[in-house]
Amino acid sequence: MVSEPMNIRMVDTLGQYSAIQEEVDTAVQAVIRSGMYINGPVVNRFAEQLGAYLDDTHVIPCANGTDALQIALMALDLKPGDEVIVPSFTFVATVEVLALLQLKPVFVEVDMLTFNLDPTHLSKALSPKTKAILPVHLYGHVAEMAPILQFAEAHGLYVIEDAAQAIGGSYRFPDGRTMKAGTMGTIGCTSFYPSKNLGAYGDGGAIFTRDAALADRLKTICQHGSHQRYLHEIVGVNSRLDAIQAAILEIKLRRLDQYNEARRSAARQYTELLSDIEGLICPSEASYAHHVFHQYTLRLTAGRETRDKVKAFMDEAGIPSMIYYPIPCHLQEAYRHYGYQMGDLPGTEQLTAEVISLPMHSELTREQIIYISSHLKKALS
Ligand SMILES: *Cc1c(COP(=O)(O)O)cnc(C)c1O
């Protein structure tokens, strides 16, 4: 028997929409009728609700996650040439904003199981110029924050969390306290890009902080460095969240935990089906982490050639997969001037040759997961 094509998507924003269509359409219509498209009550309300969800953190909405990172760095007293410790195994935006502000990325290795900044490498990266650490909660798994925060405290460094992939995820401290991704450092950043765990139907982002004065400064930077119209105290940018996007995000925020649970369930099913295959390492969840599986990312330990062959086999079968990320930031052409070479971060370089991300979203069915897993097994046999 020939089975039906499954129409499997890497990300299923439309499937998610169909379950909330009426509510979303009504909210979008209401914004259009209100005539208030930029800032205004809906944006403020969403910011408050997200702040409450993040255990009473100040939330400053902005235009996208890259802006969030840039504005976060602009708000701190950093000078050109200051160093920021950052993983190389991340989306380029994390590093791009450092370059734009003439800050120097100092790349560190990630843990080979969690894909996140390895705190045991921090002391090697420290110099008199170090001013901040920028951990990325990659794929929805929080970085090991307690030792990172401890190190930052001991050396007077800021911590800026890139939580673009981890909204709703959390970290459990050794004393049992739990905190949400993006709320532990000096500033946290996230993205509402459509494929993110809390995705808008366009661009969007937000900045988090527990410090009221810093929140005010971040907000000021977002609006051209101005508190009061046509008075500009500091150099800012124009970075705003649309009211239409805020209205959509407000609806999705109410379901964020449920969406993340669906991702966790899909991940559990993948792992059950794939865990005892030789040469394949399933993503794990550290004891301190509540993983929200922005991505379900496997390692194929035979390396790049096998990984690329497996991807081609899956493509052939109509199963999407992605390589996040095929080239680490320290080896990208744009960042060559920082002087890194192949071999400088062997763990990171190994991961870029081994990783493959499978379809992951809140609408995956058991049938699809079985189908994807069985094809992956075939591809490896
Ligand atoms: C998506 C993403 C960003 C950038 O967000 P945009 O909204 O696309 O600008 C930054 N860092 C990481 C880790 C991301 O995944």
Side-chain angles (χ1 to χ4, degrees):
M1 196 186 82
V2 181
S3 58
E4 287 284 300
M6 286 259 176
N7 197 16
I8 296 167
R9 296 193 176 88
M10 195 67 198
V11 176
D12 189 8
T13 46
L14 274 182
Q16 204 183 55
Y17 169 59
S18 65
I20 52 173
Q21 181 166 359
E22 241 175 83
E23 210 178 329
V24 167
D25 292 0
T26 305
V28 168
Q29 281 292 333
V31 172
I32 296 171
R33 291 214 180 85
S34 77
M36 280 181 283
Y37 309 132
I38 299 290
N39 294 328
V42 182
V43 176
N44 294 338
R45 202 170 62 209
F46 167 65
E48 265 165 38
Q49 287 168 0
L50 183 56
Y53 175 83
L54 295 172
D55 310 321
D56 291 323
T57 300
H58 298 278
V59 169
I60 300 97
C62 65
N64 57 66
T66 309
D67 272 9
L69 288 163
Q70 182 181 327
I71 293 158
L73 291 160
M74 286 172 76
L76 304 171
D77 57 337
L78 305 174
K79 284 161 211 66
D82 283 349
E83 294 179 2
V84 178
I85 301 174
V86 64
S88 175
F89 193 61
T90 181
F91 180 56
V92 72
T94 320
V95 174
E96 189 174 50
V97 292
L98 298 175
L100 283 170
L101 297 173
Q102 297 179 55
L103 302 167
K104 185 173 174 234
V106 175
F107 293 114
V108 287
E109 287 280 32
V110 292
D111 181 275
M112 298 296 279
L113 290 176
T114 67
F115 305 102
N116 273 302
L117 193 153
D118 182 342
T120 64
H121 288 257
L122 286 172
S123 49
K124 265 184 292 182
L126 187 72
S127 92
K129 288 188 171 172
T130 311
K131 290 290 158 57
I133 310 173
L134 209 174
V136 182
H137 305 306
L138 201 71
Y139 303 150
H141 188 292
V142 278
E144 195 179 357
M145 289 304 287
I148 294 172
L149 293 168
Q150 241 161 39
F151 187 90
E153 172 94 48
H155 299 281
L157 311 176
Y158 298 116
V159 175
I160 299 127
E161 299 172 69
D162 183 342
Q165 301 189 0
I167 190 100
S170 62
Y171 176 81
R172 189 150 42 80
F173 284 83
D175 67 5
R177 260 181 326 134
T178 295
M179 286 176 89
K180 291 233 164 77
T183 69
M184 293 171 272
T186 321
I187 305 180
C189 300
T190 204
S191 164
F192 304 125
Y193 185 78
S195 65
K196 300 286 157 85
N197 289 34
L198 180 58
Y201 297 154
D203 273 313
I207 316 162
F208 315 136
T209 183
R210 295 187 177 277
D211 178 330
L214 193 50
D216 183 66
R217 188 171 168 81
L218 289 160
K219 197 170 174 184
T220 305
I221 294 172
C222 287
Q223 47 201 27
H224 298 291
S226 165
H227 266 109
Q228 200 183 326
R229 200 169 278 194
Y230 306 123
L231 283 179
H232 304 278
E233 305 134 54
I234 49 177
V235 176
V237 295
N238 168 25
S239 193
R240 302 181 285 229
L241 181 69
D242 289 359
I244 287 179
Q245 300 306 337
I248 294 159
L249 288 165
E250 193 179 18
I251 292 164
K252 288 210 188 183
L253 175 61
R254 291 200 280 273
R255 294 168 175 82
L256 177 60
D257 286 345
Q258 172 197 321
Y259 292 153
N260 282 340
E261 267 318 304
R263 288 172 179 272
R264 286 174 60 80
S265 161
R268 268 194 303 273
Q269 295 175 61
Y270 272 135
T271 299
E272 266 164 35
L273 293 162
L274 297 171
S275 61
D276 52 5
I277 299 171
E278 196 157 343
L280 182 156
I281 302 175
C282 291
S284 51
E285 179 178 54
S287 57
Y288 55 74
H290 181 77
H291 197 332
V292 290
F293 288 96
H294 175 60
Q295 300 296 342
Y296 185 86
T297 303
L298 300 160
R299 286 174 56 195
L300 301 180
T301 55
R304 197 173 297 267
E305 206 176 305
T306 301
R307 193 268 313 272
D308 293 348
K309 257 194 262 170
V310 166
K311 174 151 184 27
F313 182 93
M314 302 286 276
D315 287 348
E316 195 76 11
I319 299 169
S321 60
M322 293 291 276
I323 310 303
Y324 301 117
Y325 298 93
I327 303 171
C329 291
H330 72 282
L331 298 179
Q332 294 284 355
E333 179 66 29
Y335 304 109
R336 263 171 61 161
H337 60 285
Y338 294 121
Y340 287 87
Q341 282 170 8
M342 181 78 94
D344 286 345
L345 296 165
T348 294
E349 291 160 20
Q350 187 186 332
L351 288 178
T352 58
E354 293 183 354
V355 290
I356 182 166
S357 301
L358 300 183
M360 174 50 79
H361 51 78
S362 57
E363 315 301 307
L364 275 177
T365 65
R366 171 118 191 115
E367 209 186 356
Q368 289 175 325
I369 293 167
I370 291 170
Y371 184 81
I372 296 162
S373 303
S374 71
H375 276 78
L376 184 67
K377 274 188 207 175
K378 253 184 253 163
L380 277 166
S381 62

